[in-house]
């Protein structure tokens, strides 16, 4: 419109008006849409390029992109830790790098405006725009795939098709209807109908088998090599040079995996706050014991912690999910797990009418049904030379009116592999049993309680961890899964004292983070010692305060960190 007005063009040149007018329109839209972080990042990028072009600076595009990144980082230094920052700049850089080279062109240079097109050229221009859009989407999809694997350990196989549907629909239909609806309210109903139609189409695509491909988290060297390989594939180079990037992608797509040897198992006590969640991995099987708490109506440990952790480890299914009892700090994340991953069997003490059992047995939303079984003392199975045995509850407990803690499934895991001392390695997972159940276990199976690792009963509550029970288990390491400054005061000071008197090493998740133990004493993972490793120590972040004390793993007695 500006170019069609001679008076306006003489007063302010059309390129100048286009740059600053476009920036102003983008700023207004960003404010109107809520001034989110991605919008802010886009505005700073556009402002940097606009100022450079206005000043007539003829910088090459990598330098322009670098300056825009510096401006964004000065405004928000924490942006460097956001996946969106790297995805945004990588996408723009790939599109710039893969564009056909025009002699004399640069990101900051002025350009000659073409003559106004006639109506006859409109179809040709539409075809050209569509072709350029396809090229840009193809470059972004392939070029950002390695970054998606680095950040999220997954790639959307249907993402290219989904974007071909979503981008035009949102740009040309939904956004204009949303804006015009301010003046003409009925248009919002049309926009809502369009959104519903788009969501249905995207949901249909997401439901395809293999719609998302996942891979384990790769080592740092593999990540850097894959990013270099992706850049080579996207650059406008001869294909002989581009194909050199393919071998660099292999270590990211198929990273070297580590699994316990036959007869051994890996145990990870996950840091999920106030609750319990433990992973037990054998050579070819995965067991998840409890699924952590529900944080809010829309957030739980399964969604926020367990699923990202499992995906980063390359886990695509759960062979057995054990839910010790129905308290929400143990089953709060189970729904997210059941809905997101195939679970072969659910083993629990849940009552027959519990909604999780109905969800597991259903096969809706494209998920396969899960076999549901009661926890009963005496049940046992072997995976890859590792023995699993349930010690509690007894079969007749289901006919009684016990409280939920008393119904906790107690599982003992023992490895047939031996360490340097020749003894088998074992762990006891206890749920929330209390002193009465501990006494019953001492009467029923005292010889089966002996274990090197004890996931402490009831998070270290005063109602559990009796002296007789600890003397029977005789653990070398006791793991307290509890929330930082939790309102229950777990672990209780007198309980900690009982463990300390017996020389048992105490590991508490508020100070340790996740705790990992390789139960065979071999050097499969050099970072794991005979007493396991705290991942907060192995993968320390610069903002974490170091607690310098002999009992740093459990924290001081008032349950706060020094």
């Amino acid at each position: 419109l500006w170019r069609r007005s001679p008076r306006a063009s003489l007063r302010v040149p059309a390129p100048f008006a286009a740059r600053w007018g476009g920036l102003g329109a983008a700023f207004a839209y960003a404010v109107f849409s809520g001034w989110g972080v991605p919008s802010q990042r886009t505005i700073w990028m556009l402002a940097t390029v606009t100022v450079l072009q206005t000043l007539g600076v003829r910088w090459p595009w990598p330098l322009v992109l670098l300056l825009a990144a510096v401006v964004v980082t000065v405004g928000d230094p924490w942006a460097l830790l956001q996946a969106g920052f790297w995805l945004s700049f990588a996408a723009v850089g790939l599109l710039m790098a893969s564009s056909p080279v025009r002699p004399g062109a640069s990101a900051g240079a002025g350009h000659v405006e073409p003559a106004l097109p006639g109506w006859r050229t409109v179809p040709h221009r539409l075809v050209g725009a569509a072709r350029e859009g396809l090229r840009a989407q193809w470059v972004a999809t392939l070029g950002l795939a390695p970054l998606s694997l680095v950040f999220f350990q997954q790639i959307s196989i249907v993402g290219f098709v989904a974007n071909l549907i979503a981008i035009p629909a949102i740009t040309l239909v939904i956004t204009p209807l949303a804006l015009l609806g301010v003046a003409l309210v009925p248009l919002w109903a049309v926009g809502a109908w369009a959104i519903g139609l788009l969501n249905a189409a995207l949901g249909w695509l997401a439901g395809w088998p293999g719609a998302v491909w996942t891979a384990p988290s790769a080592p740092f060297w593999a990540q850097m090599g894959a990013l270099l390989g992706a850049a080579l594939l996207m650059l406008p180079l001869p294909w002989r040079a581009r194909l050199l990037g393919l071998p660099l992608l292999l270590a990211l797509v198929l990273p070297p995996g580590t699994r316990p040897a036959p007869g051994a198992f890996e145990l990870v006590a996950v840091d999920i706050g106030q609750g319990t969640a433990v992973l037990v991995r054998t050579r070819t099987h995965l067991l998840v014991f409890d699924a952590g708490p529900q944080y809010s109506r829309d957030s739980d440990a399964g969604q926020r912690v367990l699923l990202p952790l499992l995906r980063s480890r390359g886990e695509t299914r759960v062979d057995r999910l054990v839910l010790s009892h129905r308290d929400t700090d143990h089953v709060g994340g189970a729904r997210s797990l059941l809905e997101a991953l195939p679970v072969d069997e659910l083993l629990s003490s849940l009552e027959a009418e519990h909604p999780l059992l109905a969800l597991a047995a259903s096969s809706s939303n494209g998920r396969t049904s899960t076999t549901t079984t009661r926890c009963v003392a005496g049940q046992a199975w072997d995976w890859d030379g590792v023995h699993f045995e349930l010690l509690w509850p007894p079969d007749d407990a289901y006919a009684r009116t016990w409280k939920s803690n008393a119904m906790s499934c107690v599982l003992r895991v023992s490895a047939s592999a031996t360490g340097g001392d020749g003894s088998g390695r074992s762990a006891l997972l206890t749920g929330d049993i209390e002193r009465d159940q501990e006494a019953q276990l001492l009467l029923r199976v005292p010889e089966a309680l002996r274990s090197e690792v004890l996931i402490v009963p009831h998070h270290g509550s005063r109602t559990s961890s009796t002296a007789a029970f600890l003397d029977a288990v005789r653990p070398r390491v006791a793991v307290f899964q509890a929330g930082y400054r939790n309102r229950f005061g777990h672990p209780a000071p007198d309980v900690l004292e009982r463990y300390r008197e017996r020389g048992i090493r105490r590991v508490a998740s508020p100070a340790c983070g996740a705790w990992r133990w390789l139960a065979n004493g071999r050097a499969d993972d050099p970072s794991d010692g005979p007493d396991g490793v705290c991942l907060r120590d192995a993968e320390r972040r610069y903002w974490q305060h170091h607690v310098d004390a002999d009992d740093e793993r459990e924290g001081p007695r008032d349950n706060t960190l020094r």
Side-chain angles (χ1 to χ4, degrees):
L1 291 176
W2 195 278
R3 291 167 59 196
R4 292 182 181 277
S5 172
R7 182 177 299 178
S9 296
L10 287 173
R11 184 175 297 274
V12 177
F16 184 92
R19 293 165 189 156
W20 288 97
L23 178 61
F27 177 78
Y29 178 75
V31 172
F32 182 79
S33 63
W35 195 238
V37 173
S39 298
Q40 296 177 37
R41 189 182 301 123
T42 302
I43 293 301
W44 286 117
M45 293 171 67
L46 290 174
T48 302
V49 175
T50 299
V51 170
L52 288 176
Q53 290 183 339
T54 301
L55 295 176
V57 177
R58 302 175 62 89
W59 284 2
W61 70 261
L63 195 56
V64 176
L65 194 64
L66 178 61
L67 178 61
V70 170
V71 171
V72 171
T73 306
V74 169
D76 179 16
W78 292 102
L80 293 172
L81 297 179
Q82 299 171 0
F85 174 89
W86 299 101
L87 290 168
S88 297
F89 279 97
V92 175
L94 286 171
L95 291 174
M96 288 180 168
S98 62
S99 297
V101 178
R102 293 175 296 175
S106 66
H111 61 280
V112 178
E113 295 291 335
L116 290 175
W119 290 108
R120 298 177 184 177
T121 64
V122 170
H124 177 73
R125 289 168 60 84
L126 289 176
V127 171
R131 185 184 297 112
E132 178 61 22
L134 284 171
R135 186 196 68 83
Q137 187 57 46
W138 181 252
V139 168
T141 300
L142 288 183
L144 295 182
L147 268 181
S148 298
L149 280 175
V150 169
F151 288 127
F152 312 116
Q153 291 80 51
Q154 60 182 350
I155 298 175
S156 174
I157 303 301
V158 299
F160 179 76
V161 178
N163 282 333
L164 290 182
I165 298 172
I167 291 175
I170 292 174
T171 304
L172 303 177
V173 179
I174 294 174
T175 299
L177 287 173
L179 296 175
L180 293 173
V182 176
L184 195 60
V185 173
L187 291 178
W188 281 343
V190 181
W193 174 82
I195 290 174
L197 193 63
L198 175 63
N199 286 339
L202 296 180
W204 176 70
L205 284 174
W208 285 9
V212 176
W213 187 81
T214 61
S217 180
F220 181 76
W221 61 265
Q223 296 177 3
M224 295 300 101
L227 296 180
L228 175 60
L232 282 175
L233 287 171
M234 294 298 106
L235 290 174
L237 299 172
W239 276 106
R240 294 190 301 274
R242 292 192 189 191
L243 292 178
L244 293 176
L246 287 177
L248 296 174
L249 296 174
L250 292 179
L252 182 63
V253 176
L254 300 171
T258 57
R259 289 285 187 265
F265 68 90
E266 179 193 26
L267 184 144
V268 179
V270 187
D271 183 13
I272 40 80
Q274 182 66 24
T276 298
V278 179
L279 310 182
V280 180
R281 154 57 71 181
T282 67
R283 183 71 175 179
T284 61
H285 293 83
L286 172 67
L287 179 140
V288 178
F289 185 91
D290 283 338
Q294 182 173 0
Y295 302 129
S296 68
R297 186 168 59 181
D298 302 319
S299 175
D300 57 63
Q303 170 199 25
R304 297 288 298 275
V305 182
L306 291 180
L307 283 174
L309 174 61
L310 291 174
R311 285 168 179 155
S312 71
R313 292 165 58 90
E315 307 289 0
T316 57
R317 67 184 306 107
V318 176
D319 295 283
R320 190 160 292 167
L321 172 61
V322 180
L323 299 179
S324 61
H325 61 298
R326 61 179 171 83
D327 287 1
T328 56
D329 59 334
H330 293 252
V331 303
R335 174 175 291 273
S336 296
L337 281 182
L338 288 168
E339 291 178 343
L341 287 178
V343 177
D344 291 344
E345 182 179 357
L346 172 60
L347 189 61
S348 73
S349 63
L350 302 177
E351 60 273 18
E353 62 276 10
H354 197 284
L356 283 175
L357 295 182
L359 173 64
S362 69
S363 56
S364 59
N365 297 326
R367 60 178 298 276
T368 58
S369 60
T370 299
T371 303
T372 58
T373 310
R374 274 182 172 179
C375 286
V376 176
Q379 290 173 328
W381 66 94
D382 290 278
W383 283 344
D384 308 311
V386 178
H387 186 66
F388 296 78
E389 183 180 3
L390 282 169
L391 306 181
W392 190 265
D395 191 25
D396 58 359
Y398 291 94
R400 305 179 184 180
T401 56
W402 287 355
K403 64 180 183 178
S404 61
N405 285 353
M407 296 297 297
S408 293
C409 305
V410 176
L411 178 67
R412 185 175 185 267
V413 186
S414 54
S416 62
T418 58
D421 58 359
S423 62
R425 301 299 171 90
S426 56
L428 188 64
L429 288 66
T430 56
D432 278 357
I433 59 170
E434 299 181 346
R435 58 172 63 92
D436 290 341
Q437 291 75 55
E438 292 178 354
Q440 288 293 320
L441 286 170
L442 290 172
L443 291 175
R444 292 170 179 262
V445 286
E447 70 286 346
L449 296 177
R450 175 75 175 94
S451 301
E452 287 188 276
V453 171
L454 173 65
I455 305 299
V456 173
H458 204 180
H459 320 288
S461 165
R462 285 189 175 91
T463 62
S464 307
S465 298
T466 59
F469 182 75
L470 296 184
D471 291 337
V473 179
R474 288 186 292 165
R476 190 175 68 245
V477 181
V479 181
F480 295 82
Q481 284 190 296
Y484 175 61
R485 290 188 174 181
N486 64 85
R487 63 190 178 94
F488 306 103
H490 297 159
D494 52 335
V495 172
L496 286 174
E497 186 60 31
R498 282 201 288 272
Y499 283 90
R500 185 182 291 108
E501 288 172 352
R502 288 160 176 80
I504 301 170
R505 180 172 179 253
R506 301 161 301 283
V507 174
S509 51
C512 174
W515 181 75
R516 183 180 63 203
W517 181 54
L518 187 61
N520 65 357
R522 299 176 181 173
D524 295 49
D525 186 345
S527 65
D528 285 8
D531 289 339
V533 60
C534 287
L535 295 189
R536 190 165 293 178
D537 293 338
E539 302 173 7
R540 179 167 294 279
R541 309 300 185 184
Y542 72 87
W543 58 80
Q544 291 172 344
H545 176 61
H546 179 69
V547 183
D548 188 14
D550 293 337
D551 57 347
E552 63 178 4
R553 294 292 171 258
E554 68 187 49
R557 296 189 182 185
D558 64 356
N559 225 31
T560 62
L561 292 176
R562 290 193 181 95

